[in-house]
Amino acid sequence: MTELLKVHGSQNCFFILDQTKLQRELTDDELVALAQQITSKEHGLLGGADGVLVVNRPVREGATAQMRVINADGSEASMCGNGLRTVARYVAERDNLEDFKVDTMDASLRVRKQPDLASGVPAFAVEISPVRFNKEALPYDHLGHDRLLNTLVPELLPGYRFSGIAVPNPHLISFVDENGFKELGPLGEWLNGENPYFSDGVNVNFGHILGPNKIFVKTYERGVGFTNACGTGMSATSLAFALIHPELASFGKPITVFNPGGMVRTILHHENHRYWIELIGNATFTHRIAVSEESLHSATITDQNSKVVPTGEQENYLKFINNLDKPEF
Ligand SMILES: N[C@@H](CCC[C@H](N)C(=O)O)C(=O)O
C-alpha cells in the first residue's frame, strides 16, 4: 500500500502522488490515465480535483524534490503556484526542512515555510519565475502584437484590454468591472478549444481592482475549466496590476489577492532586469488516502479499494475564510 494526499491552495484542489515511495514509478501514460480518472468531478475520488502533483527525486543540483503538474485533462503544465505550496509543505514535513528548492519543468524554485495564516492553516511562500512577455513564450499568433500589456485586442473581445504574461505557464489577463466577469467562461472555453490564436490554450484571468494593493482574480484554467483559484494566474495578474497601475500597486510590498476559494498575498520583485513574484498562501491537506500501487498503475482507484481518512484541516480553513471580508463576483 501507498498513500495519496488530497490537498488545496485557496481550494484549488489536487492529489499529491510521491513517486519516491513507490516500488515502481508510473509511466507518463499511466500518470495521464490516473489524473483523468481521479480528478473527474463526476466519477473521481472525493469529488475530483484540478490536477495531480507528482513528487519525484530532484533533477537539478541544489533541489530537494521535483514537482510535475498533470492537469485534469491529462495535459502537463510547466508550473502551478497553488500546487507548489502544497508540495512544499509535503516535502518540508517529509524531510524536516523549512527553506529549500523544488524543481519544476523550467526552473528550480525556492519555497519557504511561513507563519500559519490562522489556527490550523499552514502557509508557504513560493517563488514564481521565470517571467516572460514575448508572444513566443505564451505562445500566441495572428494578433498583430509582439507583447500584450493592457492592449485592446478586438479579435479576442471587443472593448477589453489584455495583457499576456508567462510565469512560465501562459496567462492572458484582463481587468474588468463587476459586469465583465460574465465573459470569462465563453472566452476561456474558446481559447482552450479550436481557435486561431492560442494553439496550446491559455489560462484566462479576469482581475478586478478593489483598492491600493488589493485585487480579486477569477480564472478559467487551461486543462481544467473554472477553478476556485490559480496561483500563477494571481501572480501574473498582480504583476499586470503594478505595470498598468503603478499608482495603485507597489513592488516589494504585499498585494492582497482574493479569489473564489480564499485569499493569497503576492510580493512583486524587479531585480537585475528580471521580474519574479513571491506567492504566499495556505497549504492545506484535507485527506490521506491509502491505495494499492496496482490501482495507481491501472488507474482504477475507487472508494471501495481505497481507505480515506479526513485530516480535519478543512474545518480550520473554512473558519479562516469565513472571517475574511471576501468579495464575490
Ligand atoms: N492552478 C495552477 C496552474 C495549473 C496549470 C494550468 N492549468 C496550466 O495548464 O498552465 C496554479 O495554481 O498556478
Side-chain angles (χ1 to χ4, degrees), residues 251 268-276:
F251 278 76
L268 305 172
H269 299 271
H270 191 195
E271 293 158 3
N272 305 322
H273 308 287
R274 104 181 163 101
Y275 292 107
W276 67 280

Side-chain angles (χ1 to χ4, degrees), residues 45 185 217 237 279:
L45 198 57
V217 178
T237 307
L279 171 68

Side-chain angles (χ1 to χ4, degrees), residues 12 14 71 77 79-82 169-170 203 221-222 224 229-232:
N12 183 194
F14 305 95
N71 287 322
M79 228 318 248
C80 176
N82 290 328
N169 61 337
N203 299 291
E221 254 196 47
R222 175 176 71 164
V224 179
C230 175
T232 46

